[in-house]
Amino acid sequence: MPNTEYIITLCDGPSCIHKGSRTVKDALEEAIAKHNMQDKVKIHLSGCLGMCSKGPIVIVNPGYTIYGSVTEADAAEIIEQHLINGKYVTRLVVDEDHLYNRFFRIFGDNDFFGKQMRITLRNCGIIDPENIDDYLSLRGYEALAKVLTELTPKDVIDEVKTSGLRGRGGGGFPTGVKWDFTANAPGDERYVICNADEGDPGAFMDRSAIEGDPHTILEGMAIAGYAIGSTKGIVYIRAEYPLAIKRLEKAIEDASKNNLLGDNILGSEFSFDIEIRLGAGAFVCGEETALIHSIEGSRGMPRPRPPYPSVKGLFGKPTLINNVETWANIPVIILDGGKWFSSIGTETSKGTKVFAVAGMVKNTGLVEVPMGTTLRNIVYDIGGGIEGGGKFKAIQTGGPSGGCLPEEYLDTKVDYESLAAVGSIMGSGGMIVIDEHSCMVDVAKFFLEFTQDESCGKCTPCREGTKRMLEILTRITQGKGKPGDIEKLERLGTMAQRSSLCGLGQSAPNPVLSTIKNFRQEYEDHIFNKKCVAGVCGALLTYTIIEKCVGCGACKRVCPTNAISGTRKQLHTIDQDACIKCGQCYDTCKFEAITKA
Amino acid sequence: MIEMKDQKIDELKEYIAATQSNDNPESYLIAVLHKVQGLFGYLPREVMDVVAKAMNIPTAHIWGVATFYHYFNLKPVGKHIVSVCMGTACYVRGAGKVLEALKKNIGVEIGETSEDKLFTLQEARCLGACGIAPVIMIDDKIYGELTGKTATELIKKYRKAAKG
Ligand SMILES: Cc1cc2nc3c(=O)[nH]c(=O)nc-3n(C[C@H](O)[C@H](O)[C@H](O)COP(=O)(O)O)c2cc1C
Ligand code: SF4
Ligand code: FES
């Protein structure tokens, strides 16, 4: 493409599509055609760039100018002003603060990206994920070539060990050590698996990593194949991610055509194939032994470990399982060295971590930061603070296996040990900001409903324990909580933590126990004072009509039990005995004349 | 109609045959079930017998597997699949209200299909669009920043399009 002068990257993630990125694309193409610039300008569609709340995002290169909230009408202006007249369309530029970051040069100086450090997502949004040449042009498959020509399998494992990389799937097990175990386990055949099941219901970094840069994952897996002596890789991915699956298929096909997968890779003795297997919607299948059963075509139930998969895994053979994000770090470690990698992060946790920041925060999206960044940095500096003017209440990390931390823990550094020390976990990287409008008992109930539903039912503490706990929580939110309920929850929770077979049951009580620890007052308010301060638990609320009422009668018409009375243009009243607390009147009133407390 | 079904069964048999030449052929069961659902929209009982025979796996085992995974529909689904995201970000931003409104408007509980066979209501977990939470997906289209009211309006639009 010798004539190309500009590359325009357009985010094609779900949030941007929803906000109209596809029509922006059409408009850009139209403007380009109008000025006869088809040869000079190339449009890339990228996976989610992680700036969801500022979408649709358009990036013009060279220059790394990021435009946000671009509309169809703005498209022509960007082409004419920026590309033809060489001037920025200032009002659309996403650029708030000037912070230079050498790792993130490519996205220019701006707050959202400037405070991040992208290693895992280094190519996401920069390359065309469906074009292998793009990946190759950014040192793609160079790490694989390097290991095949310069390093012994042991050298590779040592490099990964030196890097200090730990598993990003939640457990945080040292990756190099796991590779070593698998390499040394007796057996004639070995498997390499990529865990792309991404079960945390509020996290989507694995999906974005695959959609934005699928070859990195394949390259990481092939390197591991060489290191541990395996010829067969499998990506186990959720069926709910059709675009990621399609891009992986294309990447595997292209890599095979270029002899970067398949027999005698790059003319070496090493052969390696990768196959895709689909999950089918079971959270527990993210657990490694359950995942293996699922690939084998059975019900995805965990089994006791040891033996660990590294010794006895898929089809009984030694198997290496790593998470998507873990894989994405491998090529960088090989190219830039384990020593460099270990210079980033904290004493015990090296490198960066991707978080999916969402909930009541201004900038929702994906954020990649060095380990050791504080929660406050993530929520306020990168996330832009609380959305909608509410007050910060808690941050939930680690999804259904994690905990809720209140304000006083905001200066906690994100690394495996620090988060565990305050009663939460790193988990896979879901991070949900909760404001004063959420009830913490209800939040705990929400997570427990999830884990209870997903418990595979194999062992009693998990199956029955979560059910009993859910019953108690439900009772509390309905205003029927009894003295002693909190203690009962604690007892049941500790029991499930100690005696469940797999991580699901062992961690299911965490959201409950951490909210009891940090927000005990809210539980007590529900049980003893029959109050829900956040105004969420319907049964505990009283709806009252106040002076502001103009007597329009709108509430009267929607009330399903006819509990509201009053004559036209007069103050109305609610009969508290007849009120079923459905809240419809509250939602209907246009004059804020109904209060709930 | 019957002919179309035969054609689908032939396609399925071909698909299964291709997997059977690989190592560990029985491990392709879940892939085959995905294929069945892709062809028929759900897992019809009589087709399971075809799978059992072609893969040489007892039907009981196949049902055991099929019922374990949420993704598989054991009953026919409606013309449109409405998936309400109940992921954490959507929950925090009021997905519960959206779900209630949809249940009421469509007149079904989660997992059920409306009487006119137009909508099947399902729960989803994080559609990866947390930035525009709360989110629902109708077939493969994502709609975000919804309230109970705007979600109901969407359904009405689909209903109108189906009638008109
Ligand atoms: C209930 C449960 C769900 C899990 N879900 C996932 C998942 O979705 N993705 C993942 O990579 N690991 C998941 N894990 C962790 C895996 O068992 C395993 O530790 C991980 O894939 C190993 O890769 P890593 O060392 O690179 O982290 C889950 C564990 C449990 C107990
Ligand atoms: S802890 Fe729960 S999910 Fe894990 S094996 Fe036991 S019942 Fe199944
Ligand atoms: S939680 Fe609903 S899209 Fe992520």
Side-chain angles (χ1 to χ4, degrees):
Chain A
M1 34 175 200
N3 291 326
T4 308
E5 284 176 21
Y6 288 99
I7 292 179
I8 296 182
T9 302
L10 193 73
C11 179
D12 203 35
S15 299
C16 283
I17 294 179
H18 171 78
K19 291 186 175 171
S21 64
R22 295 275 170 88
T23 48
V24 171
K25 175 172 179 265
D26 294 342
L28 283 169
E29 278 169 351
E30 197 179 304
I32 291 167
K34 185 173 147 205
H35 296 286
N36 267 322
M37 297 175 76
Q38 292 95 323
D39 293 340
K40 292 189 188 149
V41 188
K42 199 174 154 213
I43 296 186
H44 270 175
L45 291 184
S46 78
C48 175
L49 290 169
M51 296 181 81
C52 308
S53 49
K54 297 222 163 66
I57 300 287
V58 170
I59 304 179
V60 180
N61 272 312
Y64 318 121
T65 314
I66 308 177
Y67 292 117
S69 312
V70 178
T71 64
E72 202 178 340
D74 297 329
E77 195 179 339
I78 292 178
I79 300 295
E80 282 157 20
Q81 276 271 10
H82 189 137
L83 271 55
I84 298 177
N85 297 333
K87 288 191 197 130
Y88 295 129
V89 185
T90 328
R91 82 193 143 80
L92 299 175
V93 174
V94 179
D95 180 336
E96 289 141 355
D97 197 355
H98 288 272
L99 249 182
Y100 192 73
N101 184 326
R102 81 177 180 97
F103 299 98
F104 218 62
R105 187 190 82 241
I106 206 121
F107 278 137
D109 292 353
N110 81 70
D111 226 19
F112 183 77
F113 285 130
K115 287 186 179 152
Q116 301 189 37
M117 178 192 278
R118 293 206 163 187
I119 296 176
T120 314
L121 301 176
R122 63 194 176 281
N123 294 327
C124 290
I126 295 170
I127 62 168
D128 175 353
E130 297 194 16
N131 185 343
I132 191 170
D133 291 330
D134 267 28
Y135 182 64
L136 290 170
S137 72
L138 288 178
R139 304 177 78 193
Y141 290 104
E142 211 179 297
L144 178 62
K146 180 173 166 185
V147 303
L148 292 180
T149 51
E150 294 170 24
L151 305 179
T152 65
K154 187 172 173 307
D155 292 339
V156 178
I157 294 176
D158 286 342
E159 200 64 51
V160 177
K161 277 189 183 163
T162 307
S163 75
L165 175 66
R166 293 169 64 178
R168 301 294 193 241
F173 192 82
T175 306
V177 176
K178 200 194 264 186
W179 288 27
D180 205 6
F181 283 161
T182 323
N184 290 316
D188 47 348
E189 232 184 328
R190 277 160 232 281
Y191 291 97
V192 172
I193 295 179
C194 168
N195 186 346
D197 196 42
E198 190 153 71
D200 175 352
F204 53 98
M205 48 269 172
D206 291 351
R207 164 190 175 149
S208 293
I210 295 175
E211 287 180 3
D213 187 15
H215 285 286
T216 294
I217 314 295
L218 304 182
E219 185 177 4
M221 291 174 73
I223 291 169
Y226 173 75
I228 68 159
S230 159
T231 59
K232 180 105 195 113
I234 293 176
V235 181
Y236 182 84
I237 182 168
R238 312 178 59 177
E240 291 88 339
Y241 286 176
L243 181 62
I245 296 167
K246 185 184 129 210
R247 294 212 162 135
L248 267 179
E249 281 169 350
K250 171 97 170 50
I252 292 173
E253 192 187 312
D254 290 347
S256 306
K257 268 190 214 142
N258 284 280
N259 190 219
L260 296 162
L261 285 177
D263 291 339
N264 302 94
I265 293 176
L266 297 171
S268 70
E269 299 281 288
F270 174 62
S271 302
F272 192 72
D273 279 313
I274 296 180
E275 190 185 347
I276 298 175
R277 293 296 188 100
L278 301 192
F283 174 62
V284 72
C285 285
E287 196 280 336
E288 52 191 25
T289 59
L291 183 149
I292 287 170
H293 287 148
S294 182
I295 296 182
E296 288 171 349
S298 306
R299 297 164 71 101
M301 297 236 198
R303 63 157 173 78
R305 299 173 307 173
Y308 285 90
S310 52
V311 177
K312 200 162 182 291
L314 188 58
F315 307 121
K317 307 276 172 22
T319 301
L320 173 64
I321 303 185
N322 279 126
N323 165 261
V324 170
E325 218 184 307
T326 313
W327 289 120
N329 283 302
I330 300 298
V332 186
I333 289 172
I334 299 298
L335 284 178
D336 292 338
K339 214 166 143 225
W340 169 77
F341 189 86
S342 72
S343 70
I344 305 161
T346 65
E347 191 58 37
T348 57
S349 310
K350 303 299 187 188
T352 57
K353 176 79 190 89
V354 184
F355 292 97
V357 183
M360 301 312 288
V361 55
K362 283 210 181 86
N363 304 328
T364 50
L366 292 181
V367 164
E368 181 173 350
V369 290
M371 296 278 192
T373 306
T374 65
L375 292 170
R376 189 183 300 280
N377 272 153
I378 298 177
V379 177
Y380 286 94
D381 298 343
I382 302 173
I386 307 301
E387 162 83 5
K391 207 169 146 272
F392 175 91
K393 187 172 196 174
I395 182 158
Q396 207 282 342
T397 70
S401 315
C404 292
L405 301 174
E407 180 133 33
E408 56 267 35
Y409 291 114
L410 270 179
D411 292 310
T412 307
K413 291 184 162 140
V414 292
D415 74 10
Y416 297 96
E417 280 69 25
S418 309
L419 282 171
V422 295
S424 192
I425 58 162
M426 175 92 87
S428 56
M431 205 174 257
I432 308 283
V433 178
I434 295 171
D435 75 358
E436 56 188 328
H437 301 294
S438 288
C439 160
M440 299 315 286
V441 184
D442 192 61
V443 167
K445 180 169 147 250
F446 166 80
F447 283 112
L448 207 65
E449 268 167 3
F450 176 83
T451 36
Q452 203 264 316
D453 193 35
E454 293 293 344
S455 163
C456 80
K458 185 165 173 168
C459 57
T460 327
C462 167
R463 187 185 64 231
E464 294 304 319
T466 55
K467 209 178 275 166
R468 290 289 93 75
M469 287 173 78
L470 185 58
E471 279 167 15
I472 299 175
L473 285 171
T474 308
R475 187 159 86 206
I476 297 178
T477 56
Q478 288 171 345
K480 297 181 197 140
K482 292 185 267 200
D485 275 353
I486 299 181
E487 291 70 24
K488 211 177 269 170
L489 282 172
E490 287 173 329
R491 249 194 336 270
L492 281 165
T494 319
M495 187 259 315
Q497 275 180 336
R498 289 208 190 116
S499 45
S500 293
L501 174 62
C502 86
L504 191 150
Q506 288 159 8
S507 65
N510 291 358
V512 182
L513 297 178
S514 74
T515 45
I516 292 181
K517 177 166 164 264
N518 296 316
F519 301 92
R520 198 180 178 100
Q521 185 62 43
E522 275 191 49
Y523 280 83
E524 289 174 350
D525 277 345
H526 280 74
I527 298 172
F528 301 107
N529 308 330
K530 307 293 173 203
K531 274 245 161 309
C532 172
V533 284
V536 171
C537 299
L540 296 176
L541 300 177
T542 313
Y543 290 89
T544 332
I545 301 181
I546 55 170
E547 302 301 286
K548 285 184 185 169
C549 173
V550 297
C552 72
C555 53
K556 203 166 141 184
R557 284 192 290 276
V558 297
C559 177
T561 56
N562 296 322
I564 302 179
S565 56
T567 36
R568 257 191 92 68
K569 302 203 172 154
Q570 301 285 320
L571 182 73
H572 284 43
T573 49
I574 301 177
D575 173 0
Q576 296 299 339
D577 293 333
C579 171
I580 54 163
K581 307 176 200 252
C582 69
Q584 293 200 45
C585 53
Y586 180 86
D587 290 340
T588 305
C589 182
K590 287 198 179 74
F591 306 96
E592 295 181 355
I594 300 181
T595 59
K596 60 175 177 182
Chain B
M1 200 61 188
I2 300 281
E3 255 166 51
M4 218 170 82
K5 190 158 180 192
D6 283 345
Q7 242 174 34
K8 285 181 181 172
I9 299 244
D10 285 343
E11 189 181 335
L12 176 66
K13 281 185 177 157
E14 232 168 79
Y15 182 86
I16 297 177
T19 63
Q20 296 305 292
S21 53
N22 297 342
D23 295 338
N24 307 301
E26 68 290 348
S27 75
Y28 288 86
L29 177 57
I30 292 169
V32 169
L33 295 182
H34 274 296
K35 182 77 187 173
V36 175
Q37 183 149 311
L39 288 169
F40 298 91
Y42 74 112
L43 307 183
R45 201 159 257 283
E46 63 281 11
V47 180
M48 289 303 96
D49 296 333
V50 176
V51 173
K53 214 158 172 193
M55 293 190 76
N56 210 0
I57 300 177
T59 315
H61 176 78
I62 298 182
W63 279 111
V65 171
T67 50
F68 182 83
Y69 295 96
H70 302 303
Y71 196 80
F72 297 125
N73 303 317
L74 304 179
K75 286 186 283 184
V77 288
K79 180 159 180 233
H80 299 295
I81 305 230
V82 181
S83 309
V84 183
C85 180
M86 290 303 277
T88 320
C90 288
Y91 155 77
V92 171
R93 288 199 175 214
K97 285 211 165 132
V98 173
L99 181 62
E100 283 315 310
L102 290 178
K103 274 189 192 168
K104 209 165 133 197
N105 186 278
I106 304 177
V108 293
E109 289 296 310
I110 289 167
E112 294 177 354
T113 302
S114 60
E115 224 152 80
D116 57 7
K117 303 265 178 290
L118 217 44
F119 300 106
T120 300
L121 189 63
Q122 293 183 345
E123 238 180 350
R125 271 150 189 173
C126 193
L127 298 166
C130 311
I132 48 169
V135 175
I136 72 170
M137 190 161 83
I138 303 185
D139 304 325
D140 51 10
K141 261 192 99 151
I142 288 192
Y143 299 92
E145 291 173 345
L146 295 172
T147 60
K149 201 160 159 206
T150 51
T152 321
E153 272 157 19
L154 264 175
I155 295 297
K156 285 187 187 149
K157 227 188 263 164
Y158 273 82
R159 202 175 274 135
K160 210 162 146 200
K163 289 208 178 104

